[in-house]
Amino acid sequence: MSAAPGWSTLQRVIFPPESGVDTMSLYADAGPATGVRFKESDEFARNPKPVEQKLHLVGSNTREVHVDDLLSRQSVRVRSGEQLSLGTYFNAFPASYWRRWTHLRDIRLVVETSGRGSVTVYKSNARGTIQRVDGARVEDDARTEFELSIKPFGDGGWYWFDLASSGGDLVLKEARWEGPPPVRTGETVTIQITTMDKPDFCLANVRTLAGHPEALELAREVLIVDQGSRKVADQPGFAEVAALLGPKLRVIDQANLGGSGGFARGMYESVENGSDYVLLLDDDVVMEPESIMRMMAFSGSCKSPTIVGGHMFDLYSRSTLYSMGETIDSRRFSPGQPHRDMQMRHDFSVSNLRQTPWLHRRFDVDYNGWWMCMIPTSVIRQVGLPLPLFIKWDDSEYGLRARAAGFRTVSLPGAALWHISWIDKDDLVGWQAYFHNRNRLITALLHSPHPKGGNVLRESFQEDVKHLVSLQYFTVHNRLSAREDLLAGPAHLHPALHGKLAEILARRGAYSDAQMLEDVDEFPPPALGAGLSTSADIQMPAKKDMVQWGVATVARQLLKRPSREALERPQAYLAHIDNRWFRIAHYDSVVVSNAEGTAASWYKRDPRKLREMLKQSASQHARLYKEWDDLAEAYKSALPELVSTDSWRRTFQAAAPGQDHAGGPAARSAAASS
């Protein structure tokens, strides 16, 4: 079903594939819109994120959609006497985002049905209040249209519709939200995946694209930048998928330049091949391919070139929304800050869209993570490619840089994928600590509006102390090394893409906390009563006591030597969930598991390392404070060259790319294209 002349499809109603029935709550709810909602009160207007105890539900949603009623990705059966609500994450229409960022003011809903029943249209406002808009009776084969205005959606709100069957089954054959044709038509996108030794994930996503020709039709090219040793092109099934995609598929083999190097390559190639956009995707994700069509429809209607990002759901808890848009606290530059009105890890199977008032507000963000982010090539031409940061902060720095140039980022509801959440990763410790600390400080040097970066340096030093009292000496070593390179100036950034990771990993042998063993029995067993009980109730120090606690803890760890027995055998085994700095600080020797649960390492207290590293950290932060303004000017002056096409081209050439693997004769070699 295509849009009538003068109209364009903005968003189709969709349902999960058979393999995704655990995500049903994101697509459809059994029961009516008015059967599950929150009890209104003025408290919701004052506090859009009430604590759970304040949420008074009217009715309940104990029934689930019948899986065997899913007839296709766009069709569903509503059994006689039952109701179905499409007021859900993927099928409600995020009117406030279209109202704010596009020229649209009027839309329409088109619903095609078979059978007897009713279609009822609802809307919400920024408070989440549910309001009935319109309705119609349907019989036999019917096409029902509703003309709708999005003018009242200035601060928030969604549209959706419900179905009710009577006198037999009612089948929703297709439905869609339409609007005027986009401002810019015929646009194309390069869909780019950066991968590093996750060929199974990567190939699965390309296969998904091949199964959705409507999304693939918008692609000028599907580009895989393969930086790993386990090549996607060598995987069983690659030839079959390549044949399905034909000349649209291209794989570039490239040395590991990190996420920023992989995404920079995709952005570079999208400009070279004449695409209007590049859609950046992580490799370890599961896509909702309909998102591509929605992002393209939205981008084509935006008032001006706009970066459009998708939301992130938890890959291991698929009804749980992990990120709905990111912001930057200009005083702190802390990593991964959700919008202040957003609840992290919201589970739609527990509280759906209509039950959750804060989801009805519009969130305006500073950037979108590059797990799924579409960037106009016109923006790339003006603001450049990413900073050569290897990993971490490349997406947030780019969002801030684009904003300074007048280009905003929109995280679009209804466009999303599933990704491993950060809570299941150890990405602030170990080898990644180098990139986190260096890149955070670089971003602050470039973009902080506050003298000396606001609170960034103070918090950076405090984090060193926390890692030190947690016996994470490898982590602190990498943070110290990061700041040494930072102080050396911006010239190190492009060269560091090639060899820095290997240099970091080579240091692991000197630190027991960096050496991972899969079997905990490979460590000596802890002696009974040798240290703090794992069941002891240790709480984080109160904010007013933090300095006193820190001084006392550091003094104790400096002055009191660990016992010989503690160095020969751990005092305890701790699960990752208990690996908190204020708890680890009480041990002299402890084995701690990693976030993934795949291995563990042995933390051993070392007063000498603590003394040397604490002294070096204090010296570095004092120097950074003194030289902040000069250093900021140096990085700002170097920025245009660092992000230029020429600089990145030289870096790509030095990465010794291999031969492209492609599905057709239109492929070019990586060397020739760069």
Side-chain angles (χ1 to χ4, degrees), residues 218-251:
L218 301 171
R220 179 177 292 268
E221 194 169 38
V222 177
L223 178 65
I224 299 172
V225 178
D226 193 337
Q227 302 187 136
S229 56
R230 297 166 52 209
K231 297 299 182 182
V232 175
D234 295 335
Q235 291 299 297
F238 174 80
E240 173 192 350
V241 173
L244 292 172
L245 269 67
K248 285 195 174 183
L249 177 64
R250 183 159 59 106
V251 181

PDB file of all heavy atoms in Angstrom, residues 218-251:
ATOM      1  N   LEU A 218      16.460   2.645  -0.259  1.00  0.00           N
ATOM      2  CA  LEU A 218      16.932   3.989   0.062  1.00  0.00           C
ATOM      3  C   LEU A 218      18.452   4.075   0.103  1.00  0.00           C
ATOM      4  O   LEU A 218      19.013   5.167   0.167  1.00  0.00           O
ATOM      5  CB  LEU A 218      16.366   4.429   1.419  1.00  0.00           C
ATOM      6  CG  LEU A 218      14.840   4.468   1.527  1.00  0.00           C
ATOM      7  CD1 LEU A 218      14.426   4.692   2.984  1.00  0.00           C
ATOM      8  CD2 LEU A 218      14.268   5.565   0.637  1.00  0.00           C
ATOM      9  N   ALA A 219      19.119   2.926   0.094  1.00  0.00           N
ATOM     10  CA  ALA A 219      20.572   2.892   0.276  1.00  0.00           C
ATOM     11  C   ALA A 219      21.304   3.039  -1.046  1.00  0.00           C
ATOM     12  O   ALA A 219      21.036   2.310  -2.002  1.00  0.00           O
ATOM     13  CB  ALA A 219      20.988   1.591   0.953  1.00  0.00           C
ATOM     14  N   ARG A 220      22.228   3.966  -1.083  1.00  0.00           N
ATOM     15  CA  ARG A 220      23.146   4.032  -2.223  1.00  0.00           C
ATOM     16  C   ARG A 220      24.176   2.915  -2.091  1.00  0.00           C
ATOM     17  O   ARG A 220      24.626   2.334  -3.080  1.00  0.00           O
ATOM     18  CB  ARG A 220      23.843   5.395  -2.270  1.00  0.00           C
ATOM     19  CG  ARG A 220      24.837   5.544  -3.425  1.00  0.00           C
ATOM     20  CD  ARG A 220      25.434   6.930  -3.468  1.00  0.00           C
ATOM     21  NE  ARG A 220      24.442   7.928  -3.824  1.00  0.00           N
ATOM     22  CZ  ARG A 220      24.189   8.345  -5.057  1.00  0.00           C
ATOM     23  NH1 ARG A 220      24.851   7.824  -6.079  1.00  0.00           N
ATOM     24  NH2 ARG A 220      23.278   9.267  -5.286  1.00  0.00           N
ATOM     25  N   GLU A 221      24.541   2.633  -0.845  1.00  0.00           N
ATOM     26  CA  GLU A 221      25.561   1.620  -0.601  1.00  0.00           C
ATOM     27  C   GLU A 221      25.391   1.088   0.814  1.00  0.00           C
ATOM     28  O   GLU A 221      25.004   1.823   1.729  1.00  0.00           O
ATOM     29  CB  GLU A 221      26.954   2.231  -0.776  1.00  0.00           C
ATOM     30  CG  GLU A 221      28.071   1.232  -0.875  1.00  0.00           C
ATOM     31  CD  GLU A 221      29.382   1.882  -1.312  1.00  0.00           C
ATOM     32  OE1 GLU A 221      29.668   3.014  -0.880  1.00  0.00           O
ATOM     33  OE2 GLU A 221      30.117   1.250  -2.082  1.00  0.00           O
ATOM     34  N   VAL A 222      25.638  -0.209   0.990  1.00  0.00           N
ATOM     35  CA  VAL A 222      25.763  -0.811   2.316  1.00  0.00           C
ATOM     36  C   VAL A 222      27.241  -1.107   2.502  1.00  0.00           C
ATOM     37  O   VAL A 222      27.811  -1.953   1.803  1.00  0.00           O
ATOM     38  CB  VAL A 222      24.921  -2.092   2.452  1.00  0.00           C
ATOM     39  CG1 VAL A 222      25.139  -2.723   3.824  1.00  0.00           C
ATOM     40  CG2 VAL A 222      23.442  -1.785   2.235  1.00  0.00           C
ATOM     41  N   LEU A 223      27.850  -0.393   3.422  1.00  0.00           N
ATOM     42  CA  LEU A 223      29.306  -0.418   3.559  1.00  0.00           C
ATOM     43  C   LEU A 223      29.705  -1.007   4.905  1.00  0.00           C
ATOM     44  O   LEU A 223      29.282  -0.524   5.960  1.00  0.00           O
ATOM     45  CB  LEU A 223      29.848   1.007   3.428  1.00  0.00           C
ATOM     46  CG  LEU A 223      31.357   1.197   3.584  1.00  0.00           C
ATOM     47  CD1 LEU A 223      32.092   0.492   2.457  1.00  0.00           C
ATOM     48  CD2 LEU A 223      31.689   2.684   3.601  1.00  0.00           C
ATOM     49  N   ILE A 224      30.497  -2.049   4.870  1.00  0.00           N
ATOM     50  CA  ILE A 224      31.051  -2.641   6.088  1.00  0.00           C
ATOM     51  C   ILE A 224      32.531  -2.284   6.160  1.00  0.00           C
ATOM     52  O   ILE A 224      33.290  -2.599   5.243  1.00  0.00           O
ATOM     53  CB  ILE A 224      30.888  -4.172   6.099  1.00  0.00           C
ATOM     54  CG1 ILE A 224      29.404  -4.563   6.053  1.00  0.00           C
ATOM     55  CG2 ILE A 224      31.555  -4.772   7.331  1.00  0.00           C
ATOM     56  CD1 ILE A 224      29.179  -6.050   5.877  1.00  0.00           C
ATOM     57  N   VAL A 225      32.927  -1.600   7.228  1.00  0.00           N
ATOM     58  CA  VAL A 225      34.336  -1.328   7.466  1.00  0.00           C
ATOM     59  C   VAL A 225      34.821  -2.369   8.469  1.00  0.00           C
ATOM     60  O   VAL A 225      34.498  -2.304   9.660  1.00  0.00           O
ATOM     61  CB  VAL A 225      34.557   0.105   7.986  1.00  0.00           C
ATOM     62  CG1 VAL A 225      36.038   0.345   8.269  1.00  0.00           C
ATOM     63  CG2 VAL A 225      34.035   1.124   6.976  1.00  0.00           C
ATOM     64  N   ASP A 226      35.547  -3.351   7.982  1.00  0.00           N
ATOM     65  CA  ASP A 226      35.961  -4.502   8.773  1.00  0.00           C
ATOM     66  C   ASP A 226      37.374  -4.278   9.284  1.00  0.00           C
ATOM     67  O   ASP A 226      38.340  -4.287   8.519  1.00  0.00           O
ATOM     68  CB  ASP A 226      35.889  -5.764   7.917  1.00  0.00           C
ATOM     69  CG  ASP A 226      35.987  -7.029   8.749  1.00  0.00           C
ATOM     70  OD1 ASP A 226      36.536  -6.965   9.868  1.00  0.00           O
ATOM     71  OD2 ASP A 226      35.510  -8.084   8.290  1.00  0.00           O
ATOM     72  N   GLN A 227      37.504  -4.085  10.600  1.00  0.00           N
ATOM     73  CA  GLN A 227      38.799  -3.799  11.215  1.00  0.00           C
ATOM     74  C   GLN A 227      39.313  -4.973  12.061  1.00  0.00           C
ATOM     75  O   GLN A 227      40.258  -4.813  12.828  1.00  0.00           O
ATOM     76  CB  GLN A 227      38.690  -2.542  12.091  1.00  0.00           C
ATOM     77  CG  GLN A 227      38.222  -1.315  11.323  1.00  0.00           C
ATOM     78  CD  GLN A 227      38.272  -0.037  12.147  1.00  0.00           C
ATOM     79  OE1 GLN A 227      38.709   0.998  11.662  1.00  0.00           O
ATOM     80  NE2 GLN A 227      37.819  -0.081  13.386  1.00  0.00           N
ATOM     81  N   GLY A 228      38.673  -6.108  11.944  1.00  0.00           N
ATOM     82  CA  GLY A 228      39.027  -7.234  12.788  1.00  0.00           C
ATOM     83  C   GLY A 228      39.897  -8.259  12.089  1.00  0.00           C
ATOM     84  O   GLY A 228      40.250  -8.141  10.911  1.00  0.00           O
ATOM     85  N   SER A 229      40.216  -9.318  12.820  1.00  0.00           N
ATOM     86  CA  SER A 229      40.988 -10.431  12.266  1.00  0.00           C
ATOM     87  C   SER A 229      40.071 -11.551  11.784  1.00  0.00           C
ATOM     88  O   SER A 229      40.461 -12.359  10.944  1.00  0.00           O
ATOM     89  CB  SER A 229      41.963 -10.975  13.318  1.00  0.00           C
ATOM     90  OG  SER A 229      41.270 -11.364  14.495  1.00  0.00           O
ATOM     91  N   ARG A 230      38.849 -11.601  12.323  1.00  0.00           N
ATOM     92  CA  ARG A 230      37.838 -12.563  11.865  1.00  0.00           C
ATOM     93  C   ARG A 230      36.955 -11.834  10.857  1.00  0.00           C
ATOM     94  O   ARG A 230      36.053 -11.094  11.231  1.00  0.00           O
ATOM     95  CB  ARG A 230      37.028 -13.094  13.045  1.00  0.00           C
ATOM     96  CG  ARG A 230      37.850 -13.878  14.060  1.00  0.00           C
ATOM     97  CD  ARG A 230      37.076 -14.074  15.354  1.00  0.00           C
ATOM     98  NE  ARG A 230      35.753 -14.653  15.088  1.00  0.00           N
ATOM     99  CZ  ARG A 230      34.690 -14.434  15.857  1.00  0.00           C
ATOM    100  NH1 ARG A 230      34.778 -13.627  16.912  1.00  0.00           N
ATOM    101  NH2 ARG A 230      33.526 -14.996  15.567  1.00  0.00           N
ATOM    102  N   LYS A 231      37.214 -12.026   9.597  1.00  0.00           N
ATOM    103  CA  LYS A 231      36.612 -11.218   8.553  1.00  0.00           C
ATOM    104  C   LYS A 231      35.168 -11.641   8.240  1.00  0.00           C
ATOM    105  O   LYS A 231      34.858 -12.834   8.158  1.00  0.00           O
ATOM    106  CB  LYS A 231      37.449 -11.295   7.274  1.00  0.00           C
ATOM    107  CG  LYS A 231      38.860 -10.721   7.431  1.00  0.00           C
ATOM    108  CD  LYS A 231      38.797  -9.238   7.807  1.00  0.00           C
ATOM    109  CE  LYS A 231      40.180  -8.627   7.920  1.00  0.00           C
ATOM    110  NZ  LYS A 231      40.107  -7.200   8.339  1.00  0.00           N
ATOM    111  N   VAL A 232      34.325 -10.630   8.053  1.00  0.00           N
ATOM    112  CA  VAL A 232      32.933 -10.881   7.692  1.00  0.00           C
ATOM    113  C   VAL A 232      32.862 -11.634   6.367  1.00  0.00           C
ATOM    114  O   VAL A 232      32.059 -12.557   6.197  1.00  0.00           O
ATOM    115  CB  VAL A 232      32.152  -9.550   7.591  1.00  0.00           C
ATOM    116  CG1 VAL A 232      30.731  -9.795   7.096  1.00  0.00           C
ATOM    117  CG2 VAL A 232      32.137  -8.838   8.933  1.00  0.00           C
ATOM    118  N   ALA A 233      33.704 -11.262   5.422  1.00  0.00           N
ATOM    119  CA  ALA A 233      33.672 -11.876   4.094  1.00  0.00           C
ATOM    120  C   ALA A 233      34.065 -13.347   4.118  1.00  0.00           C
ATOM    121  O   ALA A 233      33.809 -14.068   3.146  1.00  0.00           O
ATOM    122  CB  ALA A 233      34.586 -11.115   3.141  1.00  0.00           C
ATOM    123  N   ASP A 234      34.670 -13.799   5.215  1.00  0.00           N
ATOM    124  CA  ASP A 234      35.063 -15.201   5.326  1.00  0.00           C
ATOM    125  C   ASP A 234      34.004 -16.049   6.021  1.00  0.00           C
ATOM    126  O   ASP A 234      34.176 -17.262   6.154  1.00  0.00           O
ATOM    127  CB  ASP A 234      36.380 -15.323   6.109  1.00  0.00           C
ATOM    128  CG  ASP A 234      37.548 -14.682   5.373  1.00  0.00           C
ATOM    129  OD1 ASP A 234      37.468 -14.582   4.137  1.00  0.00           O
ATOM    130  OD2 ASP A 234      38.518 -14.266   6.038  1.00  0.00           O
ATOM    131  N   GLN A 235      32.921 -15.440   6.466  1.00  0.00           N
ATOM    132  CA  GLN A 235      31.901 -16.155   7.210  1.00  0.00           C
ATOM    133  C   GLN A 235      31.025 -17.004   6.297  1.00  0.00           C
ATOM    134  O   GLN A 235      30.704 -16.602   5.167  1.00  0.00           O
ATOM    135  CB  GLN A 235      31.009 -15.169   7.968  1.00  0.00           C
ATOM    136  CG  GLN A 235      31.697 -14.468   9.117  1.00  0.00           C
ATOM    137  CD  GLN A 235      32.174 -15.444  10.173  1.00  0.00           C
ATOM    138  OE1 GLN A 235      31.385 -16.138  10.808  1.00  0.00           O
ATOM    139  NE2 GLN A 235      33.486 -15.503  10.348  1.00  0.00           N
ATOM    140  N   PRO A 236      30.620 -18.177   6.781  1.00  0.00           N
ATOM    141  CA  PRO A 236      29.647 -18.969   6.007  1.00  0.00           C
ATOM    142  C   PRO A 236      28.374 -18.147   5.797  1.00  0.00           C
ATOM    143  O   PRO A 236      27.861 -17.521   6.725  1.00  0.00           O
ATOM    144  CB  PRO A 236      29.381 -20.175   6.924  1.00  0.00           C
ATOM    145  CG  PRO A 236      30.579 -20.255   7.820  1.00  0.00           C
ATOM    146  CD  PRO A 236      31.043 -18.847   8.028  1.00  0.00           C
ATOM    147  N   GLY A 237      27.887 -18.132   4.595  1.00  0.00           N
ATOM    148  CA  GLY A 237      26.675 -17.386   4.286  1.00  0.00           C
ATOM    149  C   GLY A 237      26.922 -16.011   3.714  1.00  0.00           C
ATOM    150  O   GLY A 237      25.988 -15.359   3.234  1.00  0.00           O
ATOM    151  N   PHE A 238      28.181 -15.538   3.745  1.00  0.00           N
ATOM    152  CA  PHE A 238      28.449 -14.199   3.222  1.00  0.00           C
ATOM    153  C   PHE A 238      28.153 -14.106   1.727  1.00  0.00           C
ATOM    154  O   PHE A 238      27.543 -13.130   1.261  1.00  0.00           O
ATOM    155  CB  PHE A 238      29.901 -13.794   3.482  1.00  0.00           C
ATOM    156  CG  PHE A 238      30.262 -12.476   2.833  1.00  0.00           C
ATOM    157  CD1 PHE A 238      29.909 -11.280   3.422  1.00  0.00           C
ATOM    158  CD2 PHE A 238      30.935 -12.448   1.615  1.00  0.00           C
ATOM    159  CE1 PHE A 238      30.221 -10.061   2.821  1.00  0.00           C
ATOM    160  CE2 PHE A 238      31.255 -11.240   0.996  1.00  0.00           C
ATOM    161  CZ  PHE A 238      30.891 -10.047   1.604  1.00  0.00           C
ATOM    162  N   ALA A 239      28.561 -15.105   0.967  1.00  0.00           N
ATOM    163  CA  ALA A 239      28.354 -15.068  -0.484  1.00  0.00           C
ATOM    164  C   ALA A 239      26.869 -14.990  -0.819  1.00  0.00           C
ATOM    165  O   ALA A 239      26.454 -14.268  -1.739  1.00  0.00           O
ATOM    166  CB  ALA A 239      28.989 -16.291  -1.136  1.00  0.00           C
ATOM    167  N   GLU A 240      26.053 -15.714  -0.043  1.00  0.00           N
ATOM    168  CA  GLU A 240      24.606 -15.697  -0.270  1.00  0.00           C
ATOM    169  C   GLU A 240      24.037 -14.302  -0.016  1.00  0.00           C
ATOM    170  O   GLU A 240      23.240 -13.784  -0.804  1.00  0.00           O
ATOM    171  CB  GLU A 240      23.944 -16.716   0.660  1.00  0.00           C
ATOM    172  CG  GLU A 240      22.426 -16.672   0.644  1.00  0.00           C
ATOM    173  CD  GLU A 240      21.821 -17.486   1.781  1.00  0.00           C
ATOM    174  OE1 GLU A 240      22.572 -18.223   2.460  1.00  0.00           O
ATOM    175  OE2 GLU A 240      20.600 -17.366   1.992  1.00  0.00           O
ATOM    176  N   VAL A 241      24.445 -13.686   1.097  1.00  0.00           N
ATOM    177  CA  VAL A 241      23.953 -12.348   1.431  1.00  0.00           C
ATOM    178  C   VAL A 241      24.466 -11.336   0.408  1.00  0.00           C
ATOM    179  O   VAL A 241      23.725 -10.439  -0.022  1.00  0.00           O
ATOM    180  CB  VAL A 241      24.381 -11.952   2.851  1.00  0.00           C
ATOM    181  CG1 VAL A 241      24.012 -10.499   3.145  1.00  0.00           C
ATOM    182  CG2 VAL A 241      23.730 -12.873   3.875  1.00  0.00           C
ATOM    183  N   ALA A 242      25.729 -11.472   0.003  1.00  0.00           N
ATOM    184  CA  ALA A 242      26.295 -10.549  -0.979  1.00  0.00           C
ATOM    185  C   ALA A 242      25.535 -10.620  -2.297  1.00  0.00           C
ATOM    186  O   ALA A 242      25.318  -9.598  -2.963  1.00  0.00           O
ATOM    187  CB  ALA A 242      27.772 -10.869  -1.201  1.00  0.00           C
ATOM    188  N   ALA A 243      25.104 -11.824  -2.661  1.00  0.00           N
ATOM    189  CA  ALA A 243      24.346 -11.971  -3.910  1.00  0.00           C
ATOM    190  C   ALA A 243      22.998 -11.267  -3.809  1.00  0.00           C
ATOM    191  O   ALA A 243      22.505 -10.702  -4.791  1.00  0.00           O
ATOM    192  CB  ALA A 243      24.154 -13.450  -4.227  1.00  0.00           C
ATOM    193  N   LEU A 244      22.388 -11.283  -2.614  1.00  0.00           N
ATOM    194  CA  LEU A 244      21.096 -10.625  -2.424  1.00  0.00           C
ATOM    195  C   LEU A 244      21.217  -9.105  -2.524  1.00  0.00           C
ATOM    196  O   LEU A 244      20.335  -8.437  -3.062  1.00  0.00           O
ATOM    197  CB  LEU A 244      20.504 -11.011  -1.058  1.00  0.00           C
ATOM    198  CG  LEU A 244      20.066 -12.467  -0.886  1.00  0.00           C
ATOM    199  CD1 LEU A 244      19.687 -12.740   0.562  1.00  0.00           C
ATOM    200  CD2 LEU A 244      18.884 -12.782  -1.805  1.00  0.00           C
ATOM    201  N   LEU A 245      22.319  -8.560  -2.015  1.00  0.00           N
ATOM    202  CA  LEU A 245      22.499  -7.118  -2.029  1.00  0.00           C
ATOM    203  C   LEU A 245      23.112  -6.624  -3.333  1.00  0.00           C
ATOM    204  O   LEU A 245      22.982  -5.441  -3.682  1.00  0.00           O
ATOM    205  CB  LEU A 245      23.360  -6.661  -0.847  1.00  0.00           C
ATOM    206  CG  LEU A 245      22.582  -6.298   0.418  1.00  0.00           C
ATOM    207  CD1 LEU A 245      21.911  -7.503   1.034  1.00  0.00           C
ATOM    208  CD2 LEU A 245      23.490  -5.622   1.440  1.00  0.00           C
ATOM    209  N   GLY A 246      23.786  -7.515  -4.031  1.00  0.00           N
ATOM    210  CA  GLY A 246      24.363  -7.140  -5.317  1.00  0.00           C
ATOM    211  C   GLY A 246      25.378  -6.017  -5.191  1.00  0.00           C
ATOM    212  O   GLY A 246      26.163  -5.959  -4.235  1.00  0.00           O
ATOM    213  N   PRO A 247      25.365  -5.080  -6.128  1.00  0.00           N
ATOM    214  CA  PRO A 247      26.392  -4.036  -6.157  1.00  0.00           C
ATOM    215  C   PRO A 247      26.288  -3.030  -5.020  1.00  0.00           C
ATOM    216  O   PRO A 247      27.181  -2.206  -4.857  1.00  0.00           O
ATOM    217  CB  PRO A 247      26.158  -3.350  -7.508  1.00  0.00           C
ATOM    218  CG  PRO A 247      24.734  -3.641  -7.842  1.00  0.00           C
ATOM    219  CD  PRO A 247      24.448  -4.996  -7.281  1.00  0.00           C
ATOM    220  N   LYS A 248      25.208  -3.113  -4.251  1.00  0.00           N
ATOM    221  CA  LYS A 248      25.085  -2.158  -3.148  1.00  0.00           C
ATOM    222  C   LYS A 248      25.993  -2.494  -1.970  1.00  0.00           C
ATOM    223  O   LYS A 248      26.236  -1.652  -1.110  1.00  0.00           O
ATOM    224  CB  LYS A 248      23.633  -2.093  -2.664  1.00  0.00           C
ATOM    225  CG  LYS A 248      22.715  -1.331  -3.602  1.00  0.00           C
ATOM    226  CD  LYS A 248      21.395  -0.976  -2.946  1.00  0.00           C
ATOM    227  CE  LYS A 248      20.578  -0.079  -3.867  1.00  0.00           C
ATOM    228  NZ  LYS A 248      19.306   0.349  -3.234  1.00  0.00           N
ATOM    229  N   LEU A 249      26.485  -3.716  -1.899  1.00  0.00           N
ATOM    230  CA  LEU A 249      27.313  -4.129  -0.762  1.00  0.00           C
ATOM    231  C   LEU A 249      28.789  -3.939  -1.062  1.00  0.00           C
ATOM    232  O   LEU A 249      29.280  -4.332  -2.122  1.00  0.00           O
ATOM    233  CB  LEU A 249      27.060  -5.594  -0.417  1.00  0.00           C
ATOM    234  CG  LEU A 249      27.921  -6.163   0.714  1.00  0.00           C
ATOM    235  CD1 LEU A 249      27.620  -5.465   2.039  1.00  0.00           C
ATOM    236  CD2 LEU A 249      27.710  -7.667   0.854  1.00  0.00           C
ATOM    237  N   ARG A 250      29.499  -3.335  -0.118  1.00  0.00           N
ATOM    238  CA  ARG A 250      30.958  -3.206  -0.224  1.00  0.00           C
ATOM    239  C   ARG A 250      31.559  -3.399   1.159  1.00  0.00           C
ATOM    240  O   ARG A 250      31.050  -2.889   2.154  1.00  0.00           O
ATOM    241  CB  ARG A 250      31.354  -1.838  -0.788  1.00  0.00           C
ATOM    242  CG  ARG A 250      32.874  -1.696  -0.988  1.00  0.00           C
ATOM    243  CD  ARG A 250      33.197  -0.593  -1.997  1.00  0.00           C
ATOM    244  NE  ARG A 250      32.697   0.707  -1.609  1.00  0.00           N
ATOM    245  CZ  ARG A 250      33.478   1.700  -1.156  1.00  0.00           C
ATOM    246  NH1 ARG A 250      34.780   1.509  -1.022  1.00  0.00           N
ATOM    247  NH2 ARG A 250      32.965   2.871  -0.859  1.00  0.00           N
ATOM    248  N   VAL A 251      32.645  -4.150   1.225  1.00  0.00           N
ATOM    249  CA  VAL A 251      33.371  -4.371   2.474  1.00  0.00           C
ATOM    250  C   VAL A 251      34.775  -3.823   2.313  1.00  0.00           C
ATOM    251  O   VAL A 251      35.485  -4.180   1.373  1.00  0.00           O
ATOM    252  CB  VAL A 251      33.439  -5.866   2.843  1.00  0.00           C
ATOM    253  CG1 VAL A 251      34.181  -6.050   4.164  1.00  0.00           C
ATOM    254  CG2 VAL A 251      32.039  -6.462   2.932  1.00  0.00           C
TER     255      VAL A 251
END
